[in-house]
Amino acid sequence: MFISDVSRRTFLKGTAATAALAAAGSLSVGAWRAQAAEAGGQTGRAVEAPSLCNGCSSKCGLVATTVDGRLWTLRGNEIHPYAQGRICARAHGLAQLAYSDERVTQPLRRKEDGSFEPIDWDTAFAEIGQKVKDVIAQSGPESLAIIQDPRPSGKQYSKRFMHALGSPNVYAHSSSCNLSKESAYQLTIGATGFSNDFANAKMVMFIGRSYGDGIRPSSVHSLADAAEHGTRVVVVDPRLNNSGIFASDWVPINPGTDLALLMAMANVLIEEDLYDHDFVEQYTYGFDEFAAQAKGYTPAWAQEITDVSAERIKELARAMAAAAPAASIESGWRSVIGCSYKNSLETARAITAINALLGSWGAKGGALITSSPKVGALADARFAEPPKPEAKRIGDKEYPLVLSSAGTNVAALQAALDGRLKGLFFYNSNAAKGYAQPKAWTEALSKTDLVVTIDVQMSETALQSDYVLPEVTYLERLELPEFVGGKKHFVGMRTVVLDRIHPETKTCDEIFNGLAQACGVGQFFQFTAEDWAAAQLATVGVDIEDLKREGVMELPAAPFEYGPPKFKTASGKFEFKTDKFAEAGLNPVIGWIPRKVAFKEGEFAIVGGKQGIHSHTMTQNIEALHAISREYHMERLWMSAKDAQDIGVETGDTVEVSSSEHTGQVEVRVTQRLKPGVVFLPTHYGGDSPAQTRAYQYGISLTDFIPLDAEPGVGSMMSQEVAVTVKKAGA
C-alpha cells in the first residue's frame, strides 16, 4: 500500500506540543517570572541541572530547571546523541513521579493478612538479611535471584550484590523485550545491535518497529530527514503504525510471518544473482548452505504464509538490490524480533542475512556496526569484583543461546514455580505484570520464602512482595555513568536535580549497601555511587565534577570509517551458519521456522506495542500521561473495519476478548489501519494494583492472555503467540 506524502514535521511538532502541555502547562519559566514581577511578587531562583531520562532504556540526556528547588521544566540536552536537544512525551510526563501522591515513601513489610505496615530501614535490612542467610544455609546461594530493568546503577549493583552472595542468578528484563534480537545479532555479526545510515540511505525497510511509537528523538528526526530527502521507507507491519507518516510503502503482513518474507527476498536476491558477490565471498561464513536452503523459499511459497503477493516480494527484493549497498533492513528492537514469536530469534538472523546479501554492512547508506566506550580497570581495591559464583545461572543450560548479560527471566519464573528459587529480588522491575504471565508469577511469588522489591511505586510485583524498599526517583539521585557508542563516543550521568523529597526513601547505592551489610557481604560495598562513578570516569579521562556540570560529554574515539566491519563472531565473518545453533539442537543455517500458534475459524492474531506517551506499565499511573490516555481513549483495542462489520461493532463499543488464559473487556477502535484478522492492543494498561488508582483496572493487559512458554534456544517470552476471540460485550 502506498502512503501519501503528508507533512512529516507536523507529527514532530504535535508530539512536542502534547508533551510540553502534559508536563508543564503552557507557561514557560520566563513568562512565569515576568508575570510574578508584574504582580510585585518574588520571581524565584531558577537553577538548571543535567540528568538522564528514565522513561525508557534509551536514557536520553536532559536538562532540568528548578524554581526555588521545585521542578519546573525539562528540555533535551543538545550534546546527548539520542536527545539532540529534545525529549519525548514520556520523558516530560515521567518527571511528575517525583511529586506523585502514590509514591512508596517508607519501607513496607507484608503482614499475615496481606496488608502492609511501615517499618524503619534498620528493621527492614536486618530482617531481609537474616532471611537471606537462612535461605543460603538451607538451599545454597544459587537459590537466590534478582531481576532488574537495566538502569545505570541498578544493573551494576544487582550483579555485584548477587555475586557477593554467591549466586549467579542475575536477570535483566530482556526476555520480555529485546533478548531474541540481541542474542541473534551477537551470533551473526558479533554485536548486540547496529545502526542504519539514514543520512545516506536510498532504501530502508522496517520489520514491525515504529520510531513514532517508541520514541528516541534523534531516531525520529533521522527518519524524518531521510524521508524528506527521498529515501524509500518501507514499513512491514500488520498495523499502519505511527511511523507510517514517514513511509512510502506499507506492507500489511500476517503476524509472525516476517521470516518467510525475508527468506523469500533472500531467494530472489540469490536466484536472480542480485547479491553482492565480493562481500559474500570475502566476509561471510556458510553461504553455500544458506543458498541451497533458500532455493525452496520462493516468493510463491511465502505468499501463502504471509499474505504478501509474490510480485510484491520480488519488487521489494529487486528494489533493495538496486539501491544497495545504500539499502538495509532496520535494526529493530522488541516487536517481531525481540520476544514475540517462536521464530523471533531466527527472524533477527534473517534481517542480518539480507543486509549481508546486499553488501550493506559498513557501507555508506547501509547497516553500521560501530564501537562503544568502556570502563577501564579500576586500581582501587574497594572496587574489586566479588568471586565468580561456582554454580551456573538457572536457564543457561536449557536456553544455551541466551545472551550472557541478560539471562532469561522465564527460566527464573519456572525455577520459582518448581521450588529451585527460594528468594527473589526485583529492582525497578514489574515482572508480575509486564513479563510472561501474571497468574504464573503470582503462583511463583507465593511459593518463595522471600520476595523483596525495590521501586518507587507500588507495582503489581511490589504488591506481592514480603518487603518493599522505596527508592528515590531518578531526579533525586546520582548514578553510575552511562556510556553511548556510535560514530562518536559519549558518556552521560544522572545528577541530583531535586533534593530528597521523602526523607525515608533511599538511593540505589544506599539500598544495596545496606542490604549487603545485613547479608554479611558488606566488605564488597565500602563506597558510594559517587565514589564508584568517579573511579570509572577516571579510566576514560573524565573528571566527575565536569560531568556533573555538563551531564553529557563527548569522549575521544577513533574516527569512523566506512567499510566492511570486523565481525566478532566465532568464524570472524558474518555467519549465515552458526555452529552454536547445532549444539543447541537447532538448524545452524538461517532458515524458515513457523510461528507456534495457528488460527482457527473465528480467531484473531493479537499484536501489542508501545504508544508515544508510555513505557509499558511504568508510566501508566503518571497523572498527566494517564489523563491523556483517558481523554483520547488510548486503551482501546484496534480492529479492522471489515472485522468490525462482521461481528457488528463500532468505535466506542465494548468488546469481550478471550484466549485460553483470560477474558477481559475493553472499548474497541475501528480503523482502516489494521490488517483484517488481526487486533492490536497497546501494552500499557490493565493494571491490577489498587495502590495505583489511576491505572487500576483501566483497559486490559496483553500479558494476561499469553500462555506461559519460552522461545527455543533463547528463552524469550513469545509475547504474541496467542489466538483470541472477540465479540461484542453481552452478545
Side-chain angles (χ1 to χ4, degrees):
M1 183 175 292
F2 179 76
I3 299 173
S4 61
D5 184 19
V6 298
S7 172
R8 308 175 197 281
R9 293 297 176 189
T10 300
F11 172 89
L12 303 175
K13 291 177 181 177
T15 301
T18 300
L21 288 170
S26 59
L27 192 64
S28 70
V29 173
W32 173 81
R33 296 182 72 176
Q35 287 184 14
E38 289 177 6
Q42 296 296 318
T43 59
R45 180 172 178 267
V47 176
E48 287 192 343
S51 188
L52 300 178
C53 181
N54 201 48
C56 74
S57 57
S58 294
K59 297 177 281 289
C60 295
L62 57 81
V63 179
T65 298
T66 59
V67 176
D68 291 336
R70 187 173 178 85
L71 183 65
W72 192 257
T73 62
L74 298 174
R75 61 178 172 82
N77 190 311
E78 291 81 1
I79 300 173
H80 198 283
Y82 297 160
Q84 295 179 352
R86 303 172 179 88
I87 52 175
C88 71
R90 62 173 65 92
H92 283 285
L94 187 66
Q96 287 189 338
L97 188 58
Y99 302 111
S100 172
D101 58 346
E102 295 187 343
R103 278 183 61 176
V104 181
T105 59
Q106 57 193 121
L108 300 173
R109 176 177 58 199
R110 176 194 290 275
K111 297 193 294 185
E112 289 188 5
D113 64 2
S115 64
F116 286 85
E117 61 183 346
I119 57 175
D120 59 69
W121 279 100
D122 289 342
T123 300
F125 285 145
E127 291 185 4
I128 294 169
Q130 186 57 55
K131 290 177 184 291
V132 166
K133 291 175 182 177
D134 291 344
V135 167
I136 292 175
Q138 295 170 14
S139 304
E142 62 274 14
S143 64
L144 295 168
I146 192 166
I147 300 176
Q148 46 89 25
D149 189 345
R151 294 297 182 258
S153 290
K155 61 187 175 185
Q156 297 188 55
Y157 272 94
S158 294
K159 179 180 178 181
R160 188 177 185 88
F161 176 58
M162 295 309 294
H163 283 192
L165 294 174
S167 171
N169 299 319
V170 182
Y171 304 93
H173 77 309
S174 306
S175 57
S176 58
C177 183
N178 61 355
L179 177 61
S180 298
K181 177 208 77 166
E182 293 204 344
S183 295
Y185 290 174
Q186 186 67 59
L187 293 166
T188 59
I189 64 175
T192 57
F194 63 90
S195 60
N196 299 83
D197 190 15
F198 286 102
N200 300 295
K202 296 178 181 177
M203 186 172 178
V204 180
M205 179 181 289
F206 284 75
I207 303 293
R209 190 182 186 190
S210 172
Y211 289 172
D213 295 280
I215 296 176
R216 180 181 287 177
S218 62
S219 297
V220 177
H221 281 267
S222 293
L223 178 57
D225 289 342
E228 289 188 353
H229 295 148
T231 302
R232 183 177 176 185
V233 177
V234 179
V235 172
V236 179
D237 197 323
R239 178 177 75 112
L240 180 54
N241 60 53
N242 286 329
S243 292
I245 196 169
F246 307 117
S248 52
D249 301 78
W250 173 35
V251 182
I253 189 170
N254 287 334
T257 68
D258 307 81
L259 178 57
L261 170 72
L262 294 167
M263 296 311 301
M265 289 176 62
N267 171 283
V268 174
L269 293 172
I270 295 170
E271 295 302 308
E272 296 187 8
D273 199 23
L274 300 175
Y275 69 93
D276 188 324
H277 284 257
D278 289 341
F279 182 87
V280 167
E281 291 168 7
Q282 293 185 57
Y283 301 104
T284 72
Y285 169 74
F287 172 72
D288 289 343
E289 294 97 321
F290 176 77
Q293 191 169 266
K295 283 184 177 292
Y297 303 134
T298 65
W301 164 84
Q303 176 178 307
E304 297 302 310
I305 297 170
T306 64
D307 198 31
V308 179
S309 73
E311 290 306 311
R312 182 72 158 135
I313 295 171
K314 293 176 186 177
E315 188 278 327
L316 290 170
R318 291 165 183 165
M320 292 285 276
S328 61
I329 310 288
E330 193 270 342
S331 59
W333 194 263
R334 184 181 180 177
S335 187
V336 176
I337 62 173
C339 66
S340 295
Y341 301 107
K342 185 181 178 181
N343 60 21
S344 287
L345 181 74
E346 198 73 357
T347 305
R349 292 175 80 199
I351 285 173
T352 64
I354 296 295
N355 290 342
L357 292 173
L358 296 171
S360 66
W361 289 114
K364 190 173 184 179
L368 309 180
I369 302 173
T370 52
S371 61
S372 297
K374 295 181 180 179
V375 173
L378 304 183
D380 192 327
R382 291 180 300 167
F383 307 116
E385 292 290 329
K388 186 177 180 180
E390 295 180 4
K392 299 295 184 183
R393 181 173 56 189
I394 291 173
D396 286 2
K397 181 179 179 181
E398 296 90 339
Y399 304 104
L401 302 178
V402 68
L403 197 68
S404 60
S405 62
T408 168
N409 56 61
V410 176
L413 169 57
Q414 293 167 332
L417 286 169
D418 64 28
R420 283 177 291 160
L421 282 179
K422 304 295 185 181
L424 282 167
F425 288 81
F426 297 91
Y427 177 75
N428 199 42
S429 165
N430 190 15
K433 191 61 182 179
Y435 302 174
Q437 201 213 53
K439 284 190 294 187
W441 275 106
T442 295
E443 180 184 352
L445 296 180
S446 70
K447 289 183 174 181
T448 54
D449 297 333
L450 174 66
V451 182
V452 179
T453 290
I454 303 167
D455 209 332
V456 175
Q457 47 192 344
M458 202 68 173
S459 68
E460 287 81 0
T461 305
L463 202 65
Q464 299 177 62
S465 299
D466 299 306
Y467 297 89
V468 181
L469 304 182
E471 190 179 25
V472 300
T473 64
Y474 69 104
L475 294 174
E476 301 169 74
R477 63 184 186 245
L478 178 145
E479 291 204 43
L480 300 179
E482 181 77 7
F483 294 91
V484 180
K487 292 181 179 179
K488 296 181 179 181
H489 291 177
F490 296 86
V491 61
M493 189 174 71
R494 289 202 175 114
T495 64
V496 179
V497 171
L498 300 172
D499 290 336
R500 196 169 310 204
I501 295 169
H502 298 285
E504 290 303 307
T505 57
K506 289 185 180 291
T507 60
C508 172
D509 58 317
E510 290 172 337
I511 293 172
F512 278 102
N513 287 359
L515 286 172
Q517 190 66 40
C519 293
V521 292
Q523 68 270 28
F524 296 108
F525 292 83
Q526 297 300 308
F527 50 82
T528 66
E530 186 162 350
D531 295 333
W532 202 2
Q536 291 182 357
L537 290 169
T539 68
V540 294
V542 172
D543 183 271
I544 190 171
E545 296 302 324
D546 292 336
L547 191 55
K548 282 183 183 180
R549 287 190 298 271
E550 301 297 328
V552 182
M553 296 175 65
E554 186 174 347
L555 298 173
F560 174 80
E561 295 182 359
Y562 289 105
K566 293 181 180 179
F567 295 106
K568 297 179 181 179
T569 59
S571 65
K573 297 182 176 183
F574 173 83
E575 297 203 344
F576 287 107
K577 174 185 177 182
T578 298
D579 297 330
K580 193 173 181 180
F581 272 72
E583 298 170 12
L586 301 173
N587 184 359
V589 182
I590 299 171
W592 167 244
I593 298 172
R595 65 169 297 169
K596 177 186 176 182
V597 173
F599 300 95
K600 301 175 184 176
E601 184 70 26
E603 291 182 333
F604 293 87
I606 188 168
V607 296
K610 280 188 176 183
Q611 295 172 330
I613 66 167
H614 282 300
S615 281
H616 308 304
T617 64
M618 182 176 65
T619 57
Q620 64 177 338
N621 202 52
I622 302 299
E623 186 174 3
L625 301 182
H626 183 75
I628 295 172
S629 292
R630 282 194 179 272
E631 181 175 357
Y632 294 101
H633 298 271
M634 294 175 69
E635 87 287 6
R636 293 180 296 190
L637 179 85
W638 289 32
M639 175 175 277
S640 76
K642 177 183 181 302
D643 291 332
Q645 183 178 19
D646 289 345
I647 67 171
V649 297
E650 299 177 350
T651 293
D653 286 345
T654 298
V655 294
E656 183 176 279
V657 184
S658 299
S659 75
S660 59
E661 310 300 316
H662 185 70
T663 295
Q665 293 189 353
V666 69
E667 281 191 21
V668 68
R669 173 187 176 182
V670 179
T671 178
Q672 297 287 351
R673 292 171 53 188
L674 195 66
K675 181 179 175 59
V678 182
V679 289
F680 167 80
L681 187 68
T683 54
H684 317 292
Y685 306 110
D688 289 327
S689 173
Q692 296 184 310
T693 59
R694 299 174 187 91
Y696 184 55
Q697 295 186 346
Y698 175 68
I700 58 177
S701 172
L702 180 56
T703 57
D704 287 325
F705 294 86
I706 306 164
L708 177 59
D709 205 348
E711 185 180 358
V714 71
S716 294
M717 66 183 278
M718 302 199 300
S719 62
Q720 294 177 178
E721 285 287 13
V722 61
V724 298
T725 58
V726 183
K727 66 178 182 179
K728 189 172 183 177

